[in-house]
Amino acid sequence: MSQKVVLITGCSSGIGLALAVRIAKDEKKRFMVYATMRNLSKGEALVEAAGKTLGRTLEIKQLDVCDGRSIKACVDSLPERRVDILISNAGMGLIGPIECQTIEEMKTVMDTNFFGLVRLMQELLPDMKRRKRGHIVVISSVMGIQGILFNDVYAASKFAVEGFCESLAVQALRFNLNISLIEPGPVITEFERKVYEEGLKVDLSKADKVTADMFTNIYLKNYSQIFETMGQMPEDIAEHTLKIITMDNPPFRHQTNTLYTPMTTLKYADPNGDLPIDTFYKMVFEHDKVFNASLNFIKLLRWRSRKSFTLDKDKAS
Ligand SMILES: NC(=O)C1=CN([C@@H]2O[C@H](COP(=O)(O)OP(=O)(O)OC[C@H]3O[C@@H](n4cnc5c(N)ncnc54)[C@H](OP(=O)(O)O)[C@@H]3O)[C@@H](O)[C@H]2O)C=CC1
Ligand SMILES: CC1=C(/C=C/C(C)=C/C=C/C(C)=C/C=O)C(C)(C)CCC1
């Protein structure tokens, strides 16, 4: 069986970079990875992490998901235009009260996170259908199934992604194609830093006092703590994704973070949809002390298990 061709978007940092490197370093050399980024001058970190795979199982190419011509040029440059596995990863976040955001800012998020995927699919789906072979893997988010306070537009963009893929999945089956949504919770990447820094800069003068206070003193105040407690590393997401692309019958949805699943399960537990909303409200406004204590407890457990893992490794070596 020849190598499978994998095209990944947004590989200049974070999950995309980790994915490209992990898949290119596959022990059985099952994949040829085209790691793409919109700005090739940001390729240094990937070049370094790719090491010897560069020019062998990994090649870097330019691709901007907001530019149809750039997508076409990239796909046209591939041997026989063949892509067996598309990993749509490029994306951006946006936090804050909606009254403080412009429609332009919101459109940029939708254009990147949702229309970026649509453009890729328009370019690649017809070829995949013709070959009756292909797997489309989308880095969605837990926010593709559940909205989170002050992430209104970001969550909307990921809901759009999920609705789009769920609708297409039936048609895809007819052509022997698979679609999989990877749904990480918080992941420690540039995304976290960029979103937080932009959040600190939000001009809250258009928001009322209660909303501005909620954003600053509840959301932003707890933001880093949530990432520290529940955050996964991009390498974890890469490992999960590698498993999904090597399965015979890959699932349509895959959540990567077991610490987060109690939250998303609330959504499926109540068809009225009130349970997750009421629970989030109580966590934030009524049981904030219990919520913070639980986060600290999880942090302690994770710290201890990391420490014993390091000690075990030291003993073994
Ligand atoms: N971090 C998290 O907590 C979570 C992230 N996700 C999702 O994971 C994906 C990757 O994010 P993550 O690695 O965390 O964040 P990063 O900010 O580290 O990476 C985002 C990548 O997307 C690229 N990108 C942005 N816009 C475009 C564009 N128009 N064309 C091509 N590439 C673009 C960025 O390129 P550039 O460097 O040029 O900006 C960068 O390479 C996103 O879809 C995000 O929504 C999902 C769940 C949680
Ligand atoms: C869990 C939780 C919170 C925050 C969750 C966050 C911040 C999740 C971030 C997820 C990301 C970044 C996904 C990216 O796609 C709140 C609202 C503070 C309180 C209620 C419980």
Side-chain angles (χ1 to χ4, degrees):
M1 186 75 203
S2 64
Q3 276 182 323
K4 283 192 174 168
V5 176
V6 185
L7 179 87
I8 312 174
T9 62
C11 298
S12 67
S13 64
I15 298 172
L17 188 153
L19 274 169
V21 171
R22 180 64 190 92
I23 298 172
K25 287 191 178 169
D26 175 57
E27 299 76 10
K28 296 182 197 147
K29 295 192 169 48
R30 287 170 289 184
F31 308 101
M32 175 63 213
V33 177
Y34 291 100
T36 70
M37 59 187 75
R38 61 175 159 179
N39 184 353
L40 287 175
S41 70
K42 284 194 177 178
E44 217 171 290
L46 176 60
V47 168
E48 196 176 316
K52 284 184 185 156
T53 63
L54 193 63
R56 293 180 180 161
T57 51
L58 186 143
E59 237 182 75
I60 301 177
K61 289 193 174 279
Q62 195 276 339
L63 189 157
D64 181 343
V65 299
C66 294
D67 176 0
R69 276 176 306 187
S70 134
I71 297 177
K72 185 173 184 314
C74 177
V75 176
D76 283 347
S77 76
L78 306 180
E80 299 168 58
R81 281 178 51 93
R82 193 182 110 206
V83 174
D84 300 309
I85 302 170
L86 163 69
I87 306 186
S88 171
N89 162 77
M92 62 185 294
L94 180 68
I95 57 170
I98 53 159
E99 52 273 49
C100 306
Q101 295 166 344
T102 63
I103 293 288
E104 279 317 307
E105 280 176 294
M106 299 180 190
K107 279 187 177 170
T108 306
V109 174
M110 293 304 289
D111 200 34
T112 309
N113 297 1
F114 174 59
F115 287 107
L117 169 66
V118 176
R119 288 186 194 96
L120 287 164
M121 295 282 266
Q122 283 187 324
E123 192 59 48
L124 290 172
L125 199 59
D127 289 337
M128 285 187 172
K129 280 179 172 176
R130 207 172 321 112
R131 289 192 201 103
K132 294 205 168 40
R133 187 179 143 102
H135 190 177
I136 294 128
V137 179
V138 183
I139 308 300
S140 174
S141 165
V142 290
M143 279 197 244
I145 34 178
Q146 194 165 54
I148 297 275
L149 188 66
F150 292 122
N151 279 273
D152 321 82
V153 175
Y154 176 73
S157 75
K158 293 294 185 181
F159 269 58
V161 160
E162 298 239 350
F164 177 75
C165 289
E166 199 169 287
S167 306
L168 270 172
V170 176
Q171 194 198 129
L173 261 189
R174 192 85 185 118
F175 294 91
N176 194 35
L177 307 177
N178 287 303
I179 302 183
S180 298
L181 294 160
I182 309 291
E183 298 169 331
V187 184
I188 300 161
T189 64
E190 285 296 292
F191 181 98
E192 176 202 2
R193 185 188 58 76
K194 284 185 272 192
V195 164
Y196 185 71
E197 283 174 5
E198 290 300 314
L200 287 176
K201 283 193 262 171
V202 171
D203 172 11
L204 292 167
S205 62
K206 281 203 182 133
D208 61 90
K209 200 173 163 314
V210 176
T211 308
D213 182 64
M214 223 195 279
F215 181 56
T216 308
N217 296 320
I218 294 180
Y219 189 78
L220 285 180
K221 207 169 140 202
N222 286 297
Y223 185 85
S224 304
Q225 161 105 325
I226 300 268
F227 275 82
E228 251 178 73
T229 319
M230 300 191 158
Q232 289 181 291
M233 298 307 289
E235 292 74 20
D236 295 329
I237 313 305
E239 216 53 64
H240 277 263
T241 309
L242 179 63
K243 279 209 184 97
I244 297 292
I245 64 173
T246 49
M247 286 168 88
D248 287 336
N249 288 305
F252 178 64
R253 286 198 166 85
H254 177 77
Q255 289 184 40
T256 63
N257 192 336
T258 48
L259 283 175
Y260 208 98
T261 30
M263 234 86 76
T264 44
T265 305
L266 298 173
K267 166 116 185 189
Y268 296 114
D270 176 17
N272 290 328
D274 294 326
L275 186 59
I277 297 171
D278 292 347
T279 309
F280 275 8
Y281 186 89
K282 285 187 183 125
M283 277 162 92
V284 175
F285 297 109
E286 289 171 18
H287 306 309
D288 52 326
K289 289 203 176 65
V290 180
F291 179 51
N292 273 304
S294 320
L295 287 182
N296 279 322
F297 183 62
I298 299 172
K299 205 155 62 178
L300 180 73
L301 289 180
R302 291 185 84 186
W303 179 77
R304 282 176 53 175
S305 72
R306 264 192 220 125
K307 203 171 146 206
S308 69
F309 175 70
T310 318
L311 288 174
D312 288 349
K313 259 200 336 197
D314 288 349
K315 265 190 231 151
S317 62

